[in-house]
Structures are given as structure tokens and as C-alpha cells.
Amino acid sequence: QSFSPKVVTVTFFDVGQGDAILIQSPGGKNILYDAGVFSPFGNSGDRVILPHLKASGIKKLDAIILSHPHADHIGGILSLIGNVEIGKIHDSGFQYHSAIFAGYRQAAARENIPIIEVSMGDVIHVDESMPILVLGPHPALGGSNPNEFSIVVKVVYGGDSLLLTGDAESQAERLLSSQFGDFLDSDILKAGHHGSRTSSHGFFLDEVKPQKVVVSNALRNRYNHPHPDAAGRLHATGANVAFTALEGAVVMEMTGNGIRRVHWRGD
């Protein structure tokens, strides 16, 4: 029996033009940040997330964090609620009028899954060795763009950190930068809004200083993400930039003392 030190495994699923990220903690807890896309032909819950959970022997999601209520981030949630045990769901409380959002709220209530609203300054407790710090949404945000109200979390394990920003755009990135400054410094960054030009601004990246960046997007998408401006800014950080569209799922291990890339396709 060889001793393997405990790590945090972060899997950025390839769900096409959407987000779904599984975080497996050292204590065996499983946290899902966003639930992928919905389409009339199937959703990421059925197509990607549930098969992966089954193959990995994961029977419970201890927490789900839904960054914001757009269908490319909550698209698989109804399938998950029906097919896997869920401890609790966190969302920002941003009210949104869509059938998926209303349906998810109703299904969670029916299954007695607590929905806990979080905002800047909260801590999501799932595994005490791996605090999940909520940095956004910021109380000073204005407007009605759900992207800007994305739940932004920093996951910390030992000396390693991961920053997940949902679809946070200019206003949110500016507030994050002014509020937190170099506390945003993180080893791994999930680039905001699938590499859109309205995210990943230079002033924000200067604070984050990522070593590794993951952009979650579809190979051919109608938004033409990633935008060359954003891709240029991300590459200019000197970080290793990976695209789910090109690589399939991107898997990283946070050892507490450095980040390891795990090759999904076994190469």
C-alpha cells in the first residue's frame, strides 16, 4: 500500500459552451461549481456529469454552487437533483425568470435540498482543510446583468488556490480588484465568461497572477469565444492556458504545495 498524500482534484468538464467544475476535497467531499448546459437534445447533467460521477463511484454531491442562473451554468441541475444525492445548493439569490431556474427551485424544495444564498464575505464549509471563500457578488454591484452577479469563490488548500469567477464581467472584476487587491492572487484561474472580451481584463489579471488558466468553451460557438483580446490578455500573464474545447476535460491537482496537471486522455 503506497502512501499517497491528499490532494484536491479539480475537473473542468468539457460541457461545450458552458461551465461545470467538480472539486474533490482531501476529506472525500465533492463540490460541483455550475452544472453545464441545457439544450433540447440533452443536458450536461445527463451527458457528462452523472456518467463521470458514476464512473468515479461518487454517490453524493455535498454542495453545488450555481454561479448565476443562465442556462449554460445551471443547465444540468434538474437531472442532478433527480439522480444523485445533494447536500445543499448555494446560489446568489439573483432572481431570474426562466423555466429552468423556476424548475430548479421547485425541484430542490420538493427534494428538501436546502438552497443557501451567499455573497461577498461568506465562507462555504464543506471540508475544513479546504475553505471556500466567497468573494462575490459584491454588494455595490448595480444593473441587471446576471453575469456581473456571479458567485466568485477562492478555494484554498495549503499553499495552493483556485479562483472561479462564473461569468463575472468588467464591473465585477473592477469591484473584486479594488476590494481584494493581491488577495486575488491564485494559482489556477477559471477565466470569466468563456473567454469573452468583457472579462479577463488586464487590471484584474495583474492581481490574480495565475500560473494556470482554464477557459471553458465550445469549439465552434456562436459567440466566437474566446475573443482574441481576452485570449491575448490571458496569454500575456505567462500562465499556461488550457481550453476545454481543445483538450476535453482539464484536470488539476492542488497538492497544497504546487499544482499538478493530470492528463485526462491518459497521454
Side-chain angles (χ1 to χ4, degrees):
Q1 173 85 20
S2 63
F3 172 73
S4 72
K6 294 187 181 255
V7 299
V8 174
T9 304
V10 186
T11 303
F12 301 83
F13 290 114
D14 177 14
V15 291
Q17 190 65 19
D19 277 17
I21 298 144
L22 180 67
I23 303 163
Q24 297 169 271
S25 83
K29 303 291 188 184
N30 297 287
I31 300 106
L32 184 71
Y33 180 92
D34 282 339
V37 302
F38 176 87
S39 83
F41 310 107
N43 67 74
S44 301
D46 287 337
R47 285 182 156 183
V48 178
I49 302 167
L50 287 169
H52 179 84
L53 297 180
K54 188 171 181 188
S56 306
I58 295 171
K59 295 185 168 55
K60 179 179 181 182
L61 291 171
D62 297 277
I64 295 178
I65 302 166
L66 298 175
S67 67
H68 68 295
H70 281 155
D72 56 333
H73 293 256
I74 67 169
I77 188 66
L78 284 168
S79 292
L80 296 173
I81 287 174
N83 290 289
V84 67
E85 186 184 348
I86 297 168
K88 56 182 178 174
I89 299 174
H90 293 280
D91 72 21
S92 68
F94 188 94
Q95 292 304 310
Y96 191 66
H97 299 289
S98 75
I100 300 176
F101 183 71
Y104 132 65
R105 285 282 181 115
Q106 289 160 3
R110 197 168 56 241
E111 299 288 333
N112 294 316
I113 301 167
I115 296 177
I116 302 160
E117 295 176 5
V118 293
S119 60
M120 188 184 92
D122 289 333
V123 180
I124 296 173
H125 297 280
V126 183
D127 182 331
E128 61 189 26
S129 70
M130 187 195 76
I132 301 174
L133 313 174
V134 182
L135 309 188
H138 193 288
L141 281 164
S144 59
N145 177 359
N147 291 345
E148 295 283 30
F149 290 86
S150 290
I151 294 177
V152 176
V153 296
K154 181 171 178 172
V155 182
V156 180
Y157 180 58
D160 299 337
S161 52
L162 160 71
L163 189 64
L164 302 173
T165 63
D167 278 358
E169 297 185 40
S170 317
Q171 187 189 178
E173 288 190 348
R174 204 164 284 287
L175 285 167
L176 285 164
S177 299
S178 61
Q179 182 78 35
F180 294 104
D182 60 8
F183 182 73
L184 293 174
D185 191 329
S186 300
D187 302 292
I188 309 169
L189 169 68
K190 199 285 300 181
H193 203 197
H194 320 288
S196 155
R197 72 184 302 177
T198 56
S199 301
S200 305
H201 294 86
F203 63 81
F204 180 69
L205 297 175
D206 286 348
E207 302 288 6
V208 181
K209 300 186 269 297
Q211 297 172 20
K212 298 188 182 294
V213 174
V214 180
V215 180
S216 182
N217 65 324
L219 194 56
R220 292 177 187 82
N221 63 79
R222 62 194 170 108
Y223 307 100
N224 292 318
H225 292 158
H227 191 279
D229 290 357
R233 295 193 296 261
L234 290 167
H235 283 296
T237 63
N240 177 284
V241 183
F243 298 87
T244 57
L246 301 177
E247 312 205 24
V250 176
V251 185
M252 312 254 187
E253 288 180 346
M254 299 163 64
T255 67
N257 189 31
I259 307 297
R260 281 200 300 249
R261 176 81 191 268
V262 180
H263 285 284
W264 176 254
R265 294 187 170 134
D267 48 9

